[in-house]
Amino acid sequence: MPMLQTLQEKFSEVRQLQMQADGYAIWLVWPGGEVNPVLAQTLEEYGGVRVAGSDAQALWFFFNTDVLLASARLAVWARFNHLAVFLSLFPVRIAVGTDGDRNLIFDESLWKQHQEDPQDFRIWVHVAMREMVDRQPGITLDQRPADLPPGMDPAIWRRMEVDGRLPYQSSMGWFAILRPVGSPVDKAFQIGWREFFAQVETVLQRNKYRFLVHDFFLMFPLEGLRQFKNWCRDFLALVARLKAEDPDRYWPSVLAVVERKGLNFNQDLPLKAGLIWDQLTPDYPHMYIRDALMLGEGFFFHNVRFALANRTSDDWVSVGLRQEGGDGGGSLPQLVPVQLIGGVNPQCFYCGQRSHAPGACPARILTEHDGRVWNRVAQLDFSAMSAATREIDARLSSSAEEERTAAIAALIRETTAPGVLLDAFFDIDWILQPRAMRFFWRARSKEPAKMAADLLPDDAGSPVRQLLDDYPERKNLPDAEKELQNLAVRFPKDFRIPSLRGFVALERGDLDKARAYWREAEMSSPFPIVQFWHQLLQARLLEYQSRFAQAMAAYDHIARALPGWGEVAYRKAVCMVKSGFSAQILNGLRDLVENNPHYFNKILLDPEMERGHVQITTFLHSLWLAMKGRAGEEALQLRRLQEDLSSWFLPEHPFAEKMSGQISKLLQLESGSNYVAFQLLVSGHAQVEQEMQSFVTRESRAMKGKFKEYSERLRAIHEESSWFPFPSALVDFNKTYNQSVLNLNWANATNFHLPDAFRKAQLLTEQEGERLKKLEGRLKFLRIVRDATLFFLSVAETFFWCELGGIIIIFVLLPLLLIYGDKIGMDWTASLISSERWNVQKALFFVVSILALGIASLRTILRFETIRDKILAKAKNAPLRKKK
């Protein structure tokens, strides 16, 4: 048994309301299976919107009394064709979210309706619709229905009776009005519009639409929903095809489809439509939101202006085609607070908002510029920014009008998300605000990137600067003008005076005088950057007056002189959007975002992008999706890199810990929904990769140098130890030495730019350093043993020859003294020797030995190094001699 309550589960929660409106619902029940297609076709032709359904039931919504006409038309058709369908009509309210979700709101008791499979065609109407039925000819309600289905309260339901003689034609009809963008005196406009009109005329003739052209307005009626839907689809397809395949025949044009009620098809139709044509977005049909819903599932829609509170079905939207296999309407959320943009004023010179004139702009009280606010905005995702937008609206709506400026200033000083976002709104055009004077009066660098680092000293004590400090609190502008006039007499060459007088004249509404003052300040400015800033103010003034062509020419002049100044390119892009050429500036916006990703958030938050809101948010959404996908890929590579750190570096390596920390911070950016955060992740990955590659290259070179040093030290150890006289004592030494040889040979022959090799090299660097210290420590002991041995042998050798010489002398001298002692007067010596021969010999032997030992020790001590070096050199050259 079909139950209406089962369809309630198919509705999703509307998180952010875009529109709500009263209307009427039809609950249809039929026996399971396929229902006659005439049923859906008829309901669609009368403006019905299918909001939910299943195999045996469906729920449709209607905005007006055509719900009765559609039901009556079906009743007449069912008299001649079998149609087993149950219909119940009752009043409801529809809620539509910004993401396209729809929900019906009505009395809870109506959700409890249930119905068995119908056998014939019946229509039941809620008594709340009685007055509407009474005003409709040919339709009546049975006061006492005898066949009321079970489960329906007889007090609130009546059966609908239909007079089959009436036609019950739908009251729906529309007029389409097409207007090209641009100035008719422009040659490009004349050529472009002629080519595009020829293409549109082909579509009109193919569908046999009768049309009227007057004052560059193309008008024609659309009879019924089918023509309305076909024209919207044909126009959007034509624009897409020409832009992609034949751009020379395309010209941006705005299209409005207005309901026919109360309007006549004549030349006055564009005026009576009541539209501000210069605020409509080209390339997309504009219509009431209720008409957009009638187009069905093949279309998506966006608000024409930034959403205001309590939007209804009479608000205007722009419509686009959904793509195959996707929604086609992907765009970013609206993040501009209603309280800042609502109003009838022109867009403010200082901030671009419509809620106030320049003299009442909250930007007047802001004295400092903190460009870091965009870094804080980059930390907010879209959900946080949307919540902050709602909180700003809530807090400002509770403030009295005269307290609005103070409330905004207080909120900007907060470090919360609403404070950051509100600060960013007023920072978009800071360069055009009075606080910019504090910066540009001191600027002197011609390079925009170096302006902040090259400022003149602050002249805080000068009269002009004092007047600038007091300016935010000034309420009486004529008095300020008089003070400036007196200062101009005293300091006629001070460019700062006409600079400030230009702002005063602007707020007093004298735009010509403001331009003259800024021109005077430009001519007397001491540095080129100050001159170009005053030119920028003059160009903004042209833009403020809607003289977009002249403003863009002025921006181009500044851009040629300062090609790196992104603010100038951005102002030209805003002019292009305001003049209706949103699609033509998208590539320029892409360049700005690529050079400085913070422009993404600036574009998204800028209220002056209102006319191109649909195209720009859709374009930004594509950039965001691409960057999000790229950030996902980069995050995956970062995770792999973080895991690979252990294969590159040893545990607790300082650089590895540093890289791991940086990677963890970058990976946190992935969780946000902010383009800048994604861009920082992508650029951060490249920076991490480059930093790691540089470190690996640097460390590899350093390790190669260390291993080369180790090889030299090992060679010296080998040379020292190879001539040790006791090889059997070098077993452990040789084992350690051989291991070092193997490791150093591997290190000298290996490329360290591979993870395993680099990690092993780090390990070997430490190990070989310790191993060489151990070898060199043992080598000291070996040197001592070797030198001691050489010293002993050298002493022994010298002692031997001295001793031998002494013995020979004794054996020769004693006999001679015995024979010739008497002759030379040494009788006592001869007699002593002859009587104590052996004792004398022993005494002489002892004396000679002592002398020999002393001489040997003294000689070895004095010549030991020479002797040692000579012996080692002889030993080294021995193998070479053998080879020869």
Side-chain angles (χ1 to χ4, degrees), residues 626-636 670 677-679 681-682:
M627 186 55 68
K628 181 180 180 181
R630 186 178 174 188
E633 296 175 359
E634 300 288 343
L636 182 60
E670 185 187 15
F678 292 152
Q679 176 64 33
L681 192 153
V682 172

Side-chain angles (χ1 to χ4, degrees), residues 154-369:
I156 61 175
W157 294 103
R158 298 291 183 268
R159 183 175 174 178
M160 178 174 156
E161 301 292 342
V162 177
D163 185 352
R165 295 171 297 177
L166 297 180
Y168 303 109
Q169 293 182 351
S170 173
S171 60
M172 292 189 301
W174 296 268
F175 291 119
I177 309 173
L178 185 68
R179 179 180 182 269
V181 169
S183 174
V185 299
D186 187 4
K187 185 176 181 180
F189 171 91
Q190 298 170 3
I191 298 174
W193 169 238
R194 182 171 62 247
E195 293 292 336
F196 185 63
F197 176 79
Q199 299 296 316
V200 174
E201 187 179 22
T202 302
V203 178
L204 297 176
Q205 293 174 349
R206 184 175 67 244
N207 292 281
K208 299 180 180 179
Y209 296 146
R210 56 189 181 93
F211 60 89
L212 174 66
V213 179
H214 175 71
D215 194 20
F216 296 100
F217 283 97
L218 171 63
M219 301 161 279
F220 53 92
L222 297 171
E223 306 292 344
L225 185 63
R226 183 171 299 177
Q227 282 192 0
F228 173 41
K229 186 181 296 186
N230 289 341
W231 163 247
C232 291
R233 182 179 289 108
D234 290 344
F235 177 77
L236 289 169
L238 174 66
V239 170
R241 179 178 62 82
L242 291 178
K243 290 169 71 174
E245 301 175 3
D246 197 357
D248 291 338
R249 297 187 176 183
Y250 160 78
W251 186 258
S253 305
V254 295
L255 172 63
V257 182
V258 297
E259 293 182 354
R260 191 166 52 187
K261 295 178 181 179
L263 297 176
N264 296 319
F265 185 56
N266 53 39
Q267 296 179 354
D268 297 332
L269 181 59
L271 296 177
K272 293 182 178 180
L275 294 173
I276 304 176
W277 295 94
D278 290 340
Q279 294 183 6
L280 300 184
T281 303
D283 303 341
Y284 292 93
H286 295 74
M287 61 195 71
Y288 289 139
I289 190 171
R290 60 172 175 266
D291 296 330
L293 286 172
M294 293 179 191
L295 291 175
E297 296 295 331
F299 297 83
F300 68 90
F301 56 87
H302 292 287
N303 299 320
V304 169
R305 291 189 61 177
F306 294 128
L308 301 176
N310 301 320
R311 293 187 67 93
T312 67
S313 61
D314 291 331
D315 291 310
W316 284 78
V317 296
S318 58
V319 173
L321 283 175
R322 294 186 184 274
Q323 299 174 352
E324 292 291 335
D327 61 7
S331 64
L332 300 177
Q334 175 200 311
L335 300 174
V336 182
V338 175
Q339 295 297 324
L340 296 181
I341 57 152
V344 296
N345 297 294
Q347 288 182 322
C348 175
F349 182 93
Y350 294 146
C351 66
Q353 301 168 15
R354 298 181 183 275
S355 59
H356 53 261
C361 182
R364 294 183 74 254
I365 65 174
L366 302 176
T367 58
E368 300 296 335
H369 163 63

Side-chain angles (χ1 to χ4, degrees), residues 52-67:
S54 62
D55 293 339
Q57 59 179 330
L59 197 59
W60 289 69
F61 176 82
F62 287 79
F63 283 97
N64 51 34
T65 58
D66 281 5
V67 63

